[in-house]
Amino acid sequence: MQAVRTILVALLLGWVLPAFALVAVPQLTGRVVDQTGTLSSGDIARLTQTLADLQARKGSQIAVLIVPTTDGEPIEQFSLRVAEAWKIGRKKIDDGALLVVAKNDRHLRIEVGYGLEGALTDVTTRRIIDEVITPKFKSGDFAGGISAGVDKMIALVNGEKLPGPAPAHWDDRPSLDNVNPFWFFLAVVVGGILRSTLGRLLGSVSAGGFATALAWFLLGDLGVALAAGVLAFMIFVFIDFTSSGRGGSGWSSGSSSSSSDWSSSSSSSSDSGSFSGGGGSFGGGGASGSW
């Protein structure tokens, strides 16, 4: 019985200890993560711009990771762990790819998401490694090898039929924070003219319509424009009840309220601009190599 227990403990330790010894997955801090200092800041900037252009044009994501070593873990296993953690590529489209270089081990791998396996097949990724990347690595040109490999991957992805990138969020358009205050003053003046000409009710409705058209022109978002029109209408109606249609401080209060409300709405969902994976999945497609 003691011998059986000893064997079971040995087997358990043989499974558990290697798991704790695995190299931690690096944090995704950008499209290019270099933990070795191999690439210069200019190299990283150029690669990042190239990969960002691909995402803007096709929606696909490609990332590059350079680590010193996988510490004995097969690069296929390490690369897949990174890909699963980073989730490069779009969710349900799975159009992501990852180029991993373990510099001290002299190993590299291209990990391919499900959605790109038609373009970046095992055969083509192997050829990219053997014919494009490793010849430059052997001469010490790591930046050139990675750049050439990425360019070849992008060329193949460009030929793949994929859903287009999602349209830019409306917050990417100019916000009221950047709009000249003249437009707010114009809305107030035109609203006052319409109310004095058409009467309080019809004039307030017309002023709301003018505010809608003006906001649509400035921001290019119909939903926000409609909200601005309703807000303007309510402000003018409120002015009627509180100031009996007189100008002065009543108009000033209406303009200030509108500006504050719109500014808060535009800044509440601002984008931090950091790069992150889109939820893509990987199944082990791709190829490995060494130099």
Side-chain angles (χ1 to χ4, degrees), residues 126-193:
R126 180 71 190 194
R127 291 189 62 182
I128 292 173
I129 291 173
D130 291 344
E131 300 175 11
V132 179
I133 301 178
T134 58
K136 291 184 179 294
F137 279 14
K138 289 177 180 178
S139 65
D141 185 7
F142 290 94
I146 292 172
S147 179
V150 165
D151 287 344
K152 189 63 177 178
M153 292 167 66
I154 290 176
L156 293 171
V157 172
N158 283 337
E160 186 76 353
K161 291 184 178 179
L162 296 168
H169 193 273
W170 71 269
D171 278 342
D172 293 333
R173 301 185 180 112
S175 68
L176 286 183
D177 294 334
N178 300 320
V179 173
N180 194 314
F182 165 78
W183 297 111
F184 297 107
F185 177 77
L186 178 64
V188 172
V189 171
V190 171
I193 294 174

Side-chain angles (χ1 to χ4, degrees), residues 244-260:
S244 299
R246 289 177 296 175
S249 63
W251 291 110
S252 177
S253 173
S255 173
S256 175
S257 172
S258 174
S259 174
S260 174

Side-chain angles (χ1 to χ4, degrees), residues 58-242:
K58 292 285 291 186
S60 303
Q61 292 181 324
I62 295 178
V64 176
L65 170 63
I66 309 175
V67 296
T69 178
T70 63
D71 201 17
E73 180 183 8
I75 195 168
E76 294 82 5
Q77 178 178 314
F78 174 76
S79 177
L80 187 57
R81 285 201 297 119
V82 174
E84 290 175 342
W86 286 6
K87 299 186 181 301
I88 301 299
R90 290 175 289 178
K91 188 175 183 180
K92 296 183 179 180
I93 300 176
D94 305 324
D95 54 344
L98 177 66
L99 172 58
V100 178
V101 178
K103 186 177 180 181
N104 296 345
D105 301 336
R106 304 177 69 89
H107 291 157
L108 71 156
R109 178 168 176 81
I110 297 176
E111 199 71 42
V112 181
Y114 289 115
L116 292 182
E117 288 181 350
L120 297 174
T121 66
D122 294 355
V123 173
T124 56
T125 51
R126 180 71 190 194
R127 291 189 62 182
I128 292 173
I129 291 173
D130 291 344
E131 300 175 11
V132 179
I133 301 178
T134 58
K136 291 184 179 294
F137 279 14
K138 289 177 180 178
S139 65
D141 185 7
F142 290 94
I146 292 172
S147 179
V150 165
D151 287 344
K152 189 63 177 178
M153 292 167 66
I154 290 176
L156 293 171
V157 172
N158 283 337
E160 186 76 353
K161 291 184 178 179
L162 296 168
H169 193 273
W170 71 269
D171 278 342
D172 293 333
R173 301 185 180 112
S175 68
L176 286 183
D177 294 334
N178 300 320
V179 173
N180 194 314
F182 165 78
W183 297 111
F184 297 107
F185 177 77
L186 178 64
V188 172
V189 171
V190 171
I193 294 174
L194 290 172
R195 290 174 67 255
S196 63
T197 304
L198 303 177
R200 293 180 179 177
L201 180 59
L202 185 57
S204 296
V205 172
S206 300
F210 176 79
T212 299
L214 182 61
W216 193 10
F217 170 77
L218 293 176
L219 297 178
D221 188 281
L222 181 58
V224 176
L226 291 174
V230 171
L231 178 63
F233 171 77
M234 293 175 64
I235 289 174
F236 286 124
V237 171
F238 178 75
I239 291 173
D240 285 336
F241 280 106
T242 57

Side-chain angles (χ1 to χ4, degrees), residues 24 46 220:
R46 284 188 291 272

